[in-house]
Amino acid sequence: MGDLPVVGAQLTALLLDSHREWLIEKDRDLELPEYAMTDILRAPDTLIAKTKAKLDGWNGRLGVHGPFKGFEIDVSDKEFRPVVQARLLACLDACEKLGAGQMVIHSPYDPWDHANLGHKPKDRERRVDAILATLAPALERAEGIGVTMVLENIKDVDPAERAAVIAVADSPALRLSVDTGHANWAHHACDAPDPAGFIDAAGERLAHVHLQDTDGSRDCHWALGEGTIDFAAVFAALGRLDARPHLIVEINDFSKVKASVAHLQALGLAQ
């Protein structure tokens, strides 16, 4: 049991009391979702203070979900770009105050890109340039405070697209995230690799995993075991890595977080 990976969860601050012993018993990874919200980022200090008090005695790895609603990170419009940059920087400020070491950001790639990027010379290079121009202030800030931004697959079909961004950035502050449910949808809908294939493709640049289950038809965020994802294959892929990514159960029904990890434990995959 001691050699099995320890799995944590995404939980709101309101749920920390009811999950406190579960988090502390193995210093499980924790991700806070509230900091994706613009209203929270405008005045986060009260929530940060309450959250830190609730986490007293816990020594696990902390991350937050960064902002994403209403924009993509491949901003080419130079007038709009500073708005996105300000949102990302505000979240990094919250990370520093919380002591969080990770911030999840969303990939802008989608099936249209998969079908059309490359039809014009330097299409892919221009997209990477737009992403990194948008992320430039956040990358500099993240490097300075020791936060790693993790680029999560959303509608991605080809894992190589996100990997190219990480390679060109060449920064310790930018790594890859894999969401198992998003990958399962892309596998069924767009002939993308399966979730284990996304993890294999990420390789040692993988720093974060969202664990959720789906039937492949949509982004379900079901409890683990309620869908069709082969979690034995997912954890076998993780076992082939030297990297130790944050392992985060990210499901809609928070009451099933512990049961999701218990499901993995019953399969002999995690604890």
Side-chain angles (χ1 to χ4, degrees), residues 6-9 23 27-31 58 60-61 245-248:
V6 175
V7 173
L23 287 168
D27 281 328
R28 298 179 185 276
D29 295 333
L30 172 64
E31 182 177 305
W58 170 79
R61 300 183 296 182
H246 290 212
L247 299 175
I248 301 293

Side-chain angles (χ1 to χ4, degrees), residues 8-17 19-20 22-23 28-38 40-41 44-56 58 60-68 90-106 147-148 150 152 208-210 246-251 254 257:
Q10 184 184 97
L11 297 165
T12 66
L14 292 174
L15 292 168
L16 293 179
D17 289 338
H19 289 76
R20 177 178 168 80
W22 181 80
L23 287 168
R28 298 179 185 276
D29 295 333
L30 172 64
E31 182 177 305
L32 302 168
E34 297 97 328
Y35 300 90
M37 301 168 62
T38 304
I40 295 292
L41 292 178
D45 289 353
T46 298
L47 179 61
I48 288 171
K50 289 180 179 179
T51 300
K52 291 179 74 172
K54 291 176 182 290
L55 292 175
D56 183 47
W58 170 79
R61 300 183 296 182
L62 180 62
V64 306
H65 201 303
F68 62 92
C91 192
L92 286 168
D93 287 343
C95 286
E96 184 177 28
K97 293 174 181 178
L98 282 162
Q102 276 194 359
M103 179 174 118
V104 179
I105 58 176
H106 280 189
V147 172
T148 302
V150 290
E152 177 186 7
H208 174 273
V209 179
H210 272 154
H246 290 212
L247 299 175
I248 301 293
V249 171
E250 189 200 33
I251 57 176
F254 289 115
V257 163

